[in-house]
Amino acid sequence: MPPSTRRKSIVPVPAAVDQAEIHEESDEEMASWEDEEAATTDDDEDDDWGSKKRRAPKKRDGPPPAKRARTVTGDVSASATPARKARRTRQGKLSSIMDLPLDVLFEILGLVEPQDLLSLTLANKTLRSNLMTRGAISVWKSVFERVGAPPCPPDVSHPAWAFLLFGGSRCHKCNTSNVHYVDYALRRRLCRECRKKNLVAVRRFAHYFPDYDKGILDLLPYTNVGGWVTHSTSSSRYYWKDDVYAIVKELGPYQKGIQLRTPNAKQKLDDFKAARLAYVKQIVDSVPTYCDWERKASQQKFEDSSNGREQRKNEITRRLLALGHDQRDVNHLWFRSESDKPLTDRGWAMIRAGLEKDVDERKATRLEREKADRVYARQKIFREAFRDFKRSLCPSEWSALPLFERLCNATIFFTMLQDDTEPPVGKPDFLKALDHISELTPAIMQETKTTLKSNVKTLPFEIIAGATMLSASQAASMTEEAGVDPLDLAVTVLSCGNHYPQTPQWGFDAIWQHKCSRPSYLAPNALYLNKAPFIMRMNEDSIWAAGARVAVALIKLDMDDLDARFIYDTLPAQARSGNDKVYPVYSWRKAVMTLGNNHFGRGSWRVLNREETLACKIKENQEPFNDISCWTCAHCAEYVNGFAARSVVEHHIKTQHGLPEPVEPTDLFISPEVLLPFPDFGTLTVCGPPPPPPVVKQAVVTAPNKTFYCKMCPNPKGRLFVENGVKSHLKDRHKLPVSVEGVHWARI
């Protein structure tokens, strides 16, 4: 039985079919190509320039009318305009391609890419009118066969099939770009938004088309990919809305013929349905084949693109090597172009300058790195020579030697390290130059002092001015009059950047003798000024309390002579014993380091009085550095590569030098090159106010007469009575007019 509508006998054509959108017109045009091909005859195929029928010009009766000359009224000279020059159109290189015979042109076009052939259909009207005809089918077929594309199905024209497969990545509905998924069942390339708006699921058919019979869906191709799913199939079926309207429009004449009792109308409807069912089956069965081709084509395209880029890269490398560039520089070259097209002479001319610039930069970097490697290798040799030179000296002279890194910057050694001539500089050359180190040391020392002074500048005097009533210029004048170097001021706090926690240092002698334990990371300017002003906050509160004069405490390093002890009142106590507080004790140097590493806020420093200071010093360890690796032998260079603890050095002296009782500093001493940690100065207990007397909790005393309780109650002793009260309770509560002591009530 033919499918019928629910309300109307004749299926109406929806208005949406007639109102085609802009991008749907291109689809209709593609569909019209097949109609043009079907409308051509066999005789038209022999025509060189196509078979498109043109409207014949109207025949005129008699000769054409004579032309009349334009007449100008008034002043001719005033109204006349200069004649326009004829515009010369620029002819392209392929402008004469239309002069070729049609069979030759078709042979040429059969060798182009599908994308280029589609572009030619938009080049001009002549090419379009010929490529869209049935006579150009051989061109499209040869292009499809050459690129391995699937043959054109019978329901689509060859240009439309080429547009579907190779027509770019724009949506056929809304022209959105970057749409790579092709739905072969619907013969469309659709974006996600268009799929959401125009696809109808089977279960939603009645909602969108309440007047149509659901049986018409069997006559339509469907897809398994919905609008909310990308590139994955499911068991659901989705139909294109416009296809529903189109099939309803096609069924209309057949249904109308049945209703009008036209002969063979039902047979024609059955034949139409059978043809549509076969058509739908052919489309659904061919979709896996097309998807498999697309997957293989994408993989092949990727491989061809990779091979093309590799060939282009090899060609660029070959040309750069031919110009004399080094293979090492070219191998590390970053090719800015990701094109996979073959390199032509014109393309090479466009990219050559930029590539050569990159190669030259890479060459400069490589040469600089190679030179640095050579300098580092010679520096290792120099270090071994310097170590051998130290072995020839007395250990007490080691601290007077310049830092190895500063020694490398000396002119004579810097020249030797940078020398690339043959024969190469060796260890004997460095040892020979080290014999003159005594002549180089004063210059290196003066250069180091100048560098440090330039970093210090006027900051110490500004700190002094902030802690005293003096100005910065007055503090500088006092320093100059006293003959004190600014580096020897107590407020000039320097720290080595390669140590953490940072250990402050004072005075140029300590700075010069400091030899960093990580010399490969120590630059000549690694000793920098500690600019934190907390040192003066301590001095402002403590030095004055100690009774020291500014000229002594701040300008001359007499803080060690004072040897005062300090506590930080706002520092959390280590322990508590009642109201007594236990505070750590500091020397002035350790206080500076503690404040610098912990970044305490401004607090209250208190200097200990004489009795408190003596009590703390008695508890201090008098030999705090015996277990630290800072000791060396004064008789040999055994510990030139590293110092040891005192017990180890004493054992060495006893066994190697035969001295049973080593004496400090004659036989062993602490090397000035080591940054020693500050010892523990103990703690100070500050007694607080006496604790308040303890609160005595008064015991609850019950009335002496309430000493009886009821034994009949669940909680007998919860309530106490006098003797008469317990009897009244038993009588009223427990209904015992006569109660016996020991049985019903008792005394607590």
Side-chain angles (χ1 to χ4, degrees):
M1 186 169 182
S4 61
T5 58
R6 297 184 181 180
R7 299 181 182 178
K8 300 181 181 180
S9 58
I10 300 178
V11 179
V13 180
V17 177
D18 299 333
Q19 299 174 356
E21 297 182 2
I22 296 176
H23 299 288
E24 286 186 343
E25 291 178 4
S26 60
D27 297 339
E28 294 176 1
E29 185 178 356
M30 289 294 182
S32 66
W33 293 340
E34 184 66 24
D35 297 339
E36 288 186 10
E37 295 171 6
T40 55
T41 59
D42 297 338
D43 296 337
D44 294 332
E45 295 181 4
D46 298 333
D47 188 4
D48 284 347
W49 291 105
S51 59
K52 197 169 186 179
K53 295 182 180 181
R54 301 181 183 274
R55 181 178 297 177
K58 294 182 179 180
K59 295 183 179 180
R60 297 181 183 273
D61 296 335
K67 295 182 179 180
R68 294 181 299 174
R70 176 182 294 180
T71 59
V72 181
T73 60
D75 188 1
V76 178
S77 61
S79 61
T81 57
R84 294 183 179 179
K85 295 182 179 180
R87 180 179 297 178
R88 298 180 59 184
T89 59
R90 183 178 179 181
Q91 300 293 331
K93 296 182 179 180
L94 299 178
S95 59
S96 60
I97 191 174
M98 303 307 301
D99 299 337
L100 296 174
L102 193 58
D103 54 348
V104 177
L105 179 62
F106 281 0
E107 289 293 333
I108 296 174
L109 296 181
L111 301 177
V112 302
E113 296 295 326
Q115 297 88 343
D116 299 333
L117 192 59
L118 287 171
S119 299
L120 287 175
T121 61
L122 305 176
N124 55 49
K125 293 182 179 180
T126 306
L127 281 174
R128 182 177 181 84
S129 62
N130 286 277
L131 289 175
M132 295 299 183
T133 60
R134 193 173 185 81
I137 290 180
S138 60
V139 177
W140 297 99
K141 287 183 177 181
S142 61
V143 170
F144 291 156
E145 293 176 359
R146 188 171 52 81
V147 299
C152 178
D155 60 305
V156 183
S157 65
H158 286 78
W161 185 246
F163 181 75
L164 180 65
L165 299 182
F166 309 103
S169 59
R170 289 190 173 272
C171 177
H172 290 181
K173 181 70 175 177
C174 65
N175 204 33
T176 300
S177 60
N178 202 24
V179 180
H180 300 284
Y181 179 71
V182 178
D183 200 317
Y184 294 99
L186 301 180
R187 303 290 195 249
R188 290 176 177 88
R189 186 188 298 269
L190 300 169
C191 65
R192 180 177 295 183
E193 293 300 324
C194 291
R195 302 178 73 89
K196 291 179 181 179
K197 295 178 182 178
N198 296 277
L199 286 180
V200 180
V202 177
R203 63 181 181 276
R204 301 284 293 173
F205 180 81
H207 174 74
Y208 288 101
F209 306 100
D211 297 334
Y212 296 161
D213 185 6
K214 192 175 181 179
I216 62 176
L217 296 181
D218 296 335
L219 309 179
L220 295 176
Y222 59 87
T223 179
N224 299 117
V225 182
W228 283 264
V229 183
T230 304
H231 296 195
S232 66
T233 59
S234 63
S235 58
S236 300
R237 295 185 180 185
Y238 301 91
Y239 297 86
W240 191 249
K241 287 184 180 180
D242 292 346
D243 291 347
V244 176
Y245 293 129
I247 194 62
V248 170
K249 186 177 180 180
E250 291 186 40
L251 287 173
Y254 294 101
Q255 294 175 348
K256 183 177 181 180
I258 293 176
Q259 293 174 1
L260 296 178
R261 301 183 183 277
T262 304
N264 300 326
K266 187 176 182 306
Q267 182 63 34
K268 291 180 181 180
L269 178 61
D270 294 339
D271 295 342
F272 172 76
K273 287 184 176 182
R276 288 293 300 185
L277 291 174
Y279 162 72
V280 171
K281 185 177 184 305
Q282 183 268 330
I283 289 179
V284 174
D285 293 344
S286 62
V287 168
T289 304
Y290 298 147
C291 294
D292 184 62
W293 167 84
E294 183 181 15
R295 184 178 64 257
K296 293 180 180 178
S298 299
Q299 183 178 359
Q300 184 64 35
K301 181 180 179 181
F302 176 78
E303 295 177 356
D304 294 343
S305 180
S306 300
N307 295 334
R309 285 194 296 269
E310 186 66 24
Q311 293 175 4
R312 182 183 177 89
K313 179 180 177 180
N314 294 336
E315 180 63 18
I316 292 176
T317 302
R318 185 189 66 80
R319 297 199 182 202
L320 289 174
L321 295 179
L323 293 175
H325 294 285
D326 194 280
Q327 181 71 43
R328 293 171 294 179
D329 303 327
V330 177
N331 289 340
H332 293 83
L333 181 64
W334 174 61
F335 291 95
R336 293 169 294 181
S337 176
E338 293 294 333
S339 175
D340 54 0
K341 296 181 179 179
L343 183 65
T344 61
D345 293 338
R346 181 183 178 185
W348 170 248
M350 295 174 62
I351 65 175
R352 174 180 173 179
L355 292 177
E356 285 194 302
K357 181 181 178 181
D358 290 346
V359 172
D360 293 339
E361 292 177 356
R362 177 66 64 175
K363 179 180 179 181
T365 304
R366 176 179 59 84
L367 294 178
E368 184 178 354
R369 184 177 63 252
E370 291 177 354
K371 184 175 181 61
D373 293 341
R374 294 193 299 269
V375 171
Y376 180 73
R378 284 191 288 268
Q379 192 175 7
K380 291 177 63 176
I381 299 175
F382 182 30
R383 189 182 296 277
E384 295 178 0
F386 184 65
R387 191 177 292 112
D388 293 345
F389 176 76
K390 287 180 65 176
R391 289 191 178 97
S392 64
L393 301 177
C394 180
S396 59
E397 299 176 351
W398 292 350
S399 60
L401 294 175
L403 186 67
F404 177 76
E405 278 67 25
R406 296 194 183 100
L407 196 62
C408 291
N409 292 327
T411 304
I412 180 173
F413 297 107
F414 183 81
T415 304
M416 297 175 67
L417 291 173
Q418 300 292 330
D419 188 8
D420 290 332
T421 59
E422 295 292 339
V425 180
K427 188 175 181 179
D429 300 322
F430 287 112
L431 289 173
K432 184 177 180 181
L434 285 171
D435 293 337
H436 305 282
I437 193 173
S438 59
E439 304 173 3
L440 301 174
T441 300
I444 299 175
M445 184 179 297
Q446 184 61 36
E447 181 182 0
T448 304
K449 184 178 292 187
T450 303
T451 302
L452 291 175
K453 285 183 177 180
S454 64
N455 292 334
V456 171
K457 297 182 181 179
T458 61
L459 182 62
F461 310 120
E462 295 173 359
I463 296 177
I464 294 175
T468 63
M469 301 300 293
L470 302 175
S471 63
S473 58
Q474 290 175 342
S477 300
M478 292 178 61
T479 304
E480 185 177 358
E481 292 174 0
V484 179
D485 195 311
L487 296 176
D488 293 332
L489 296 176
V491 294
T492 306
V493 186
L494 296 168
S495 300
C496 178
N498 289 335
H499 290 270
Y500 187 84
Q502 296 177 0
T503 303
Q505 295 175 298
W506 289 266
F508 179 75
D509 293 339
I511 297 170
W512 177 261
Q513 294 173 356
H514 168 64
K515 306 297 188 297
C516 186
S517 60
R518 291 176 289 175
S520 59
Y521 300 98
L522 180 63
N525 58 350
L527 292 169
Y528 62 92
L529 182 67
N530 192 336
K531 298 181 180 180
F534 51 73
I535 174 64
M536 286 317 303
R537 291 204 294 267
M538 185 199 72
N539 288 333
E540 181 181 0
D541 298 331
S542 59
I543 294 177
W544 289 105
R549 294 177 296 112
V550 175
V552 175
L554 300 183
I555 296 179
K556 297 181 180 180
L557 287 171
D558 289 342
M559 294 289 292
D560 293 327
D561 296 337
L562 295 175
D563 199 20
R565 296 292 182 267
F566 308 89
I567 62 173
Y568 195 64
D569 285 346
T570 57
L571 190 69
Q574 292 182 354
R576 292 178 181 270
S577 176
N579 287 342
D580 297 343
K581 298 181 179 180
V582 182
Y583 292 94
V585 179
Y586 301 91
S587 66
W588 77 277
R589 292 176 180 264
K590 186 175 182 180
V592 172
M593 184 195 70
T594 303
L595 289 172
N597 293 330
N598 296 319
H599 304 286
F600 294 151
R602 182 177 179 86
S604 175
W605 283 90
R606 184 173 72 85
V607 63
L608 304 184
N609 56 34
R610 184 181 300 275
E611 292 76 12
E612 292 174 335
T613 302
L614 291 177
C616 291
K617 289 183 178 180
I618 291 174
K619 296 186 294 183
E620 293 174 2
N621 185 6
Q622 302 301 322
E623 296 181 352
F625 307 121
N626 288 345
D627 297 332
I628 299 177
S629 298
C630 60
W631 297 85
T632 183
C633 177
H635 302 288
C636 65
E638 175 67 20
Y639 302 99
V640 66
N641 294 327
F643 304 107
R646 177 165 184 162
S647 58
V648 177
V649 178
E650 288 180 347
H651 178 74
H652 162 76
I653 294 174
K654 292 177 182 179
T655 56
Q656 299 297 328
H657 301 287
L659 298 176
E661 296 294 335
V663 180
E664 181 187 356
T666 305
D667 301 322
L668 74 166
F669 61 92
I670 296 176
S671 175
E673 302 178 14
V674 181
L675 281 179
L676 295 175
F678 291 105
D680 185 11
F681 294 99
T683 59
L684 177 67
T685 302
V686 179
C687 298
V695 179
V696 179
K697 188 176 181 180
Q698 299 294 334
V700 180
V701 179
T702 59
N705 54 348
K706 293 185 177 182
T707 58
F708 300 93
Y709 65 93
C710 175
K711 298 181 68 175
M712 303 298 293
C713 292
N715 186 12
K717 297 184 179 181
R719 183 181 179 184
L720 300 179
F721 304 89
V722 296
E723 182 176 358
N724 293 331
V726 69
K727 293 179 179 180
S728 299
H729 167 75
L730 290 170
K731 182 178 180 180
D732 298 337
R733 184 67 179 270
H734 300 287
K735 308 301 181 182
L736 296 175
V738 179
S739 57
V740 180
E741 183 180 2
V743 178
H744 301 103
W745 56 277
R747 186 188 298 268
I748 58 175

